Protein backbone atom coordinates (compact mmCIF):
# COMPACT_ATOMS: atom_id res chain seq x y z
CA UNK A 1 0.00 0.00 0.00
CA UNK A 2 1.27 3.49 -0.84
CA UNK A 3 2.52 5.55 2.11
CA UNK A 4 1.01 8.63 0.45
CA UNK A 5 -2.73 9.48 0.43
CA UNK A 6 -4.50 9.22 -2.90
CA UNK A 7 -4.88 12.45 -4.82
CA UNK A 8 -8.44 13.79 -5.12
CA UNK A 9 -10.30 12.62 -8.20
CA UNK A 10 -10.75 15.38 -10.77
CA UNK A 11 -14.37 15.66 -11.88
CA UNK A 12 -14.66 17.87 -14.95
CA UNK A 13 -18.18 19.34 -15.09
CA UNK A 14 -19.37 20.25 -18.59
CA UNK A 15 -22.62 21.92 -19.56
CA UNK A 16 -23.71 19.32 -22.11
CA UNK A 17 -25.43 19.75 -25.48
CA UNK A 18 -27.68 17.95 -27.92
CA UNK A 19 -24.91 18.49 -30.47
CA UNK A 20 -22.68 15.38 -30.41
CA UNK A 21 -19.64 17.50 -31.26
CA UNK A 22 -19.86 19.06 -27.81
CA UNK A 23 -19.39 15.86 -25.82
CA UNK A 24 -16.73 14.61 -28.26
CA UNK A 25 -14.72 17.81 -27.74
CA UNK A 26 -15.10 17.64 -23.96
CA UNK A 27 -13.84 14.05 -23.96
CA UNK A 28 -10.89 15.04 -26.16
CA UNK A 29 -9.97 17.79 -23.69
CA UNK A 30 -10.24 15.40 -20.75
CA UNK A 31 -8.03 12.99 -22.67
CA UNK A 32 -5.42 15.73 -23.02
CA UNK A 33 -5.55 16.33 -19.26
CA UNK A 34 -5.04 12.62 -18.59
CA UNK A 35 -2.01 12.67 -20.89
CA UNK A 36 -0.54 15.55 -18.87
CA UNK A 37 -1.16 13.82 -15.53
CA UNK A 38 -1.09 10.05 -16.13
CA UNK A 39 -1.39 9.26 -12.42
CA UNK A 40 -4.46 11.43 -11.89
CA UNK A 41 -7.94 9.96 -12.11
CA UNK A 42 -10.13 12.24 -14.24
CA UNK A 43 -13.88 11.77 -14.67
CA UNK A 44 -16.42 13.75 -16.70
CA UNK A 45 -19.98 14.67 -15.74
CA UNK A 46 -22.57 16.75 -17.60
CA UNK A 47 -25.17 19.15 -16.23
CA UNK A 48 -27.65 18.44 -19.00
CA UNK A 49 -28.31 16.55 -22.26
CA UNK A 50 -25.39 14.10 -21.98
CA UNK A 51 -24.44 11.19 -19.75
CA UNK A 52 -23.05 10.53 -17.29
CA UNK A 53 -24.66 13.22 -15.16
CA UNK A 54 -22.66 14.95 -12.47
CA UNK A 55 -24.85 13.36 -9.80
CA UNK A 56 -24.38 9.93 -11.37
CA UNK A 57 -20.59 10.25 -11.36
CA UNK A 58 -20.57 11.41 -7.74
CA UNK A 59 -22.74 8.46 -6.70
CA UNK A 60 -20.46 6.02 -8.54
CA UNK A 61 -17.35 7.49 -6.92
CA UNK A 62 -18.92 7.30 -3.47
CA UNK A 63 -19.92 3.67 -4.08
CA UNK A 64 -16.29 2.87 -4.91
CA UNK A 65 -15.14 4.37 -1.63
CA UNK A 66 -13.62 7.54 -3.11
CA UNK A 67 -13.41 10.24 -0.47
CA UNK A 68 -11.92 13.33 -2.11
CA UNK A 69 -13.07 15.05 -5.30
CA UNK A 70 -12.15 18.30 -7.02
CA UNK A 71 -15.10 19.51 -9.10
CA UNK A 72 -13.86 21.66 -11.96
CA UNK A 73 -16.45 23.67 -13.94
CA UNK A 74 -15.65 23.60 -17.64
CA UNK A 75 -16.71 27.23 -17.92
CA UNK A 76 -14.90 30.34 -19.13
CA UNK A 77 -16.67 32.87 -16.90
CA UNK A 78 -18.33 32.97 -13.49
CA UNK A 79 -21.98 33.24 -14.47
CA UNK A 80 -25.16 31.40 -13.44
CA UNK A 81 -23.88 27.85 -13.93
CA UNK A 82 -20.78 28.46 -11.81
CA UNK A 83 -22.59 30.48 -9.14
CA UNK A 84 -25.82 28.49 -8.81
CA UNK A 85 -26.21 25.30 -10.85
CA UNK A 86 -22.96 23.58 -10.00
CA UNK A 87 -22.95 24.40 -6.26
CA UNK A 88 -26.54 23.11 -6.08
CA UNK A 89 -25.54 19.79 -7.66
CA UNK A 90 -22.52 19.45 -5.40
CA UNK A 91 -24.64 20.04 -2.31
CA UNK A 92 -26.59 16.91 -3.27
CA UNK A 93 -23.46 14.75 -3.35
CA UNK A 94 -23.57 11.46 -1.42
CA UNK A 95 -22.51 11.50 2.19
CA UNK A 96 -18.87 10.65 2.63
CA UNK A 97 -17.53 12.65 -0.31
CA UNK A 98 -15.29 15.63 0.40
CA UNK A 99 -15.65 18.03 -2.54
CA UNK A 100 -13.72 21.11 -3.46
CA UNK A 101 -15.01 23.29 -6.30
CA UNK A 102 -12.26 24.66 -8.53
CA UNK A 103 -12.39 28.10 -10.09
CA UNK A 104 -13.75 28.55 -13.60
CA UNK A 105 -11.14 28.62 -16.35
CA UNK A 106 -11.20 32.28 -17.28
CA UNK A 107 -9.68 34.70 -17.36
CA UNK A 108 -6.19 33.31 -17.86
CA UNK A 109 -3.15 34.06 -20.03
CA UNK A 110 -3.30 30.42 -21.08
CA UNK A 111 -6.71 31.01 -22.67
CA UNK A 112 -5.36 34.02 -24.55
CA UNK A 113 -2.50 31.84 -25.77
CA UNK A 114 -5.02 29.21 -26.89
CA UNK A 115 -7.01 31.87 -28.76
CA UNK A 116 -3.87 32.94 -30.60
CA UNK A 117 -2.99 29.31 -31.36
CA UNK A 118 -6.38 28.88 -33.04
CA UNK A 119 -5.96 32.11 -35.03
CA UNK A 120 -2.55 31.01 -36.27
CA UNK A 121 -3.93 27.60 -37.17
CA UNK A 122 -6.58 29.44 -39.22
CA UNK A 123 -3.89 31.16 -41.27
CA UNK A 124 -2.75 34.26 -39.42
CA UNK A 125 0.83 34.89 -38.29
CA UNK A 126 2.31 37.18 -35.64
CA UNK A 127 3.30 39.53 -38.47
CA UNK A 128 -0.41 40.08 -39.18
CA UNK A 129 -1.13 41.61 -35.78
CA UNK A 130 -0.73 45.31 -36.69
CA UNK A 131 -3.21 45.04 -39.58
CA UNK A 132 -5.73 42.61 -38.07
CA UNK A 133 -8.70 43.38 -35.86
CA UNK A 134 -10.02 40.59 -33.66
CA UNK A 135 -13.59 39.90 -32.62
CA UNK A 136 -13.53 38.06 -29.31
CA UNK A 137 -16.82 36.20 -29.69
CA UNK A 138 -18.27 34.55 -26.59
CA UNK A 139 -21.55 32.77 -25.91
CA UNK A 140 -22.92 35.72 -23.94
CA UNK A 141 -24.50 36.06 -20.51
CA UNK A 142 -26.98 38.14 -18.53
CA UNK A 143 -24.46 38.25 -15.68
CA UNK A 144 -22.74 41.69 -15.52
CA UNK A 145 -19.62 40.16 -13.98
CA UNK A 146 -19.21 37.76 -16.89
CA UNK A 147 -19.72 40.52 -19.47
CA UNK A 148 -17.19 42.75 -17.71
CA UNK A 149 -14.63 39.94 -17.74
CA UNK A 150 -14.99 39.47 -21.51
CA UNK A 151 -14.55 43.22 -22.06
CA UNK A 152 -11.43 43.22 -19.88
CA UNK A 153 -9.94 40.26 -21.75
CA UNK A 154 -10.44 42.16 -25.00
CA UNK A 155 -8.74 45.27 -23.59
CA UNK A 156 -5.77 43.31 -22.29
CA UNK A 157 -5.40 41.27 -25.48
CA UNK A 158 -5.34 44.46 -27.54
CA UNK A 159 -2.10 45.42 -25.77
CA UNK A 160 -0.29 42.42 -27.30
CA UNK A 161 -0.13 44.04 -30.74
CA UNK A 162 -3.41 43.40 -32.54
CA UNK A 163 -4.84 46.35 -34.44
CA UNK A 164 -8.05 46.09 -32.40
CA UNK A 165 -9.81 43.57 -30.19
CA UNK A 166 -13.56 43.92 -29.65
CA UNK A 167 -15.97 41.70 -27.70
CA UNK A 168 -19.10 40.21 -29.24
CA UNK A 169 -21.76 37.82 -28.00
CA UNK A 170 -23.90 35.07 -29.47
CA UNK A 171 -26.78 35.62 -27.03
CA UNK A 172 -28.06 37.71 -24.12
CA UNK A 173 -25.69 40.63 -24.76
CA UNK A 174 -24.68 42.96 -27.57
CA UNK A 175 -23.03 43.46 -30.00
CA UNK A 176 -23.53 40.34 -32.10
CA UNK A 177 -20.55 38.97 -34.00
CA UNK A 178 -21.74 40.24 -37.39
CA UNK A 179 -22.25 43.75 -36.03
CA UNK A 180 -18.79 43.83 -34.47
CA UNK A 181 -17.28 42.68 -37.77
CA UNK A 182 -19.15 45.43 -39.63
CA UNK A 183 -17.94 48.09 -37.19
CA UNK A 184 -14.31 47.13 -37.66
CA UNK A 185 -14.80 47.21 -41.43
CA UNK A 186 -16.32 50.70 -41.12
CA UNK A 187 -13.30 51.83 -39.12
CA UNK A 188 -11.04 50.78 -41.98
CA UNK A 189 -9.44 47.74 -40.37
CA UNK A 190 -7.69 45.86 -43.18
CA UNK A 191 -8.28 42.31 -41.94
CA UNK A 192 -10.92 41.05 -39.52
CA UNK A 193 -10.67 37.75 -37.65
CA UNK A 194 -13.20 36.13 -35.35
CA UNK A 195 -11.84 34.24 -32.36
CA UNK A 196 -14.56 32.14 -30.66
CA UNK A 197 -14.12 32.29 -26.90
CA UNK A 198 -15.95 28.99 -26.45
CA UNK A 199 -14.74 25.55 -25.50
CA UNK A 200 -16.76 23.25 -27.71
CA UNK A 201 -19.02 23.28 -30.77
CA UNK A 202 -22.76 23.65 -30.40
CA UNK A 203 -25.72 25.94 -31.04
CA UNK A 204 -24.15 29.24 -29.92
CA UNK A 205 -20.73 28.57 -31.49
CA UNK A 206 -22.56 27.87 -34.76
CA UNK A 207 -24.27 31.25 -34.38
CA UNK A 208 -20.86 32.86 -33.92
CA UNK A 209 -19.66 31.14 -37.11
CA UNK A 210 -22.64 32.47 -39.07
CA UNK A 211 -21.93 35.94 -37.73
CA UNK A 212 -18.36 35.66 -38.99
CA UNK A 213 -19.47 35.25 -42.61
CA UNK A 214 -18.02 38.65 -43.61
CA UNK A 215 -14.79 38.22 -41.64
CA UNK A 216 -11.53 37.24 -43.31
CA UNK A 217 -10.64 34.58 -40.75
CA UNK A 218 -12.68 32.37 -38.45
CA UNK A 219 -10.72 30.46 -35.82
CA UNK A 220 -11.80 27.15 -34.34
CA UNK A 221 -13.22 26.74 -30.83
CA UNK A 222 -10.67 26.33 -28.05
CA UNK A 223 -11.38 22.62 -27.58
CA UNK A 224 -8.50 20.42 -26.48
CA UNK A 225 -5.80 23.03 -27.09
CA UNK A 226 -2.69 22.22 -25.04
CA UNK A 227 -3.01 25.51 -23.16
CA UNK A 228 -6.55 24.66 -22.09
CA UNK A 229 -5.49 21.24 -20.84
CA UNK A 230 -2.66 22.86 -18.84
CA UNK A 231 -5.13 25.31 -17.37
CA UNK A 232 -7.40 22.52 -16.16
CA UNK A 233 -4.44 20.98 -14.38
CA UNK A 234 -3.57 24.34 -12.80
CA UNK A 235 -7.13 24.87 -11.57
CA UNK A 236 -7.16 21.33 -10.16
CA UNK A 237 -3.87 21.78 -8.32
CA UNK A 238 -5.03 25.08 -6.79
CA UNK A 239 -8.36 23.63 -5.66
CA UNK A 240 -6.86 20.45 -4.21
CA UNK A 241 -5.45 22.44 -1.29
CA UNK A 242 -8.46 24.72 -0.78
CA UNK A 243 -11.15 24.57 1.89
CA UNK A 244 -13.89 21.99 1.42
CA UNK A 245 -17.22 23.16 -0.03
CA UNK A 246 -19.02 19.86 0.65
CA UNK A 247 -17.49 18.13 3.69
CA UNK A 248 -17.94 14.44 4.28
CA UNK A 249 -20.73 13.43 6.63
Amino acid sequence: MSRYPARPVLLVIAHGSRDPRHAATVHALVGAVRALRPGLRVETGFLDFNVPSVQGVLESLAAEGVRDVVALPLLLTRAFHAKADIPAVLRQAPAGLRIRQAEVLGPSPLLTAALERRLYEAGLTPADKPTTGIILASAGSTDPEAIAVIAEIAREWRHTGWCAVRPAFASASLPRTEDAVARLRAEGVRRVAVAPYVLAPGFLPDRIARGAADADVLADVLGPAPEVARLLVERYEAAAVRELVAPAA
Side-chain angles (χ1 to χ4, degrees), residues 129-166:
K129 282 189 171 187
T131 57
T132 303
I134 304 297
I135 304 301
L136 178 67
S138 74
S141 174
T142 57
D143 188 303
E145 178 186 350
I147 298 304
V149 166
I150 298 299
E152 180 61 22
I153 292 170
R155 283 192 293 269
E156 291 297 320
W157 198 13
R158 166 70 179 80
H159 296 321
T160 66
W162 297 102
C163 172
V165 180
R166 305 286 172 78

Side-chain angles (χ1 to χ4, degrees), residues 174-195:
L174 295 174
R176 295 287 182 260
T177 303
E178 56 268 32
D179 297 326
V181 170
R183 289 176 190 175
L184 284 185
R185 293 279 191 219
E187 293 171 15
V189 174
R190 183 184 306 175
R191 183 187 295 103
V192 178
V194 174

Side-chain angles (χ1 to χ4, degrees), residues 10 12 23-38 40 42-44 74 223-225 229-230 232-233:
L10 170 56
V12 176
T25 303
V26 170
H27 291 310
L29 176 56
V30 169
V33 173
R34 290 189 179 115
L36 284 176
R37 290 292 185 274
L40 176 63
V42 187
E43 301 290 343
T44 308
L74 201 58
R230 285 172 50 201
L232 264 68
V233 172

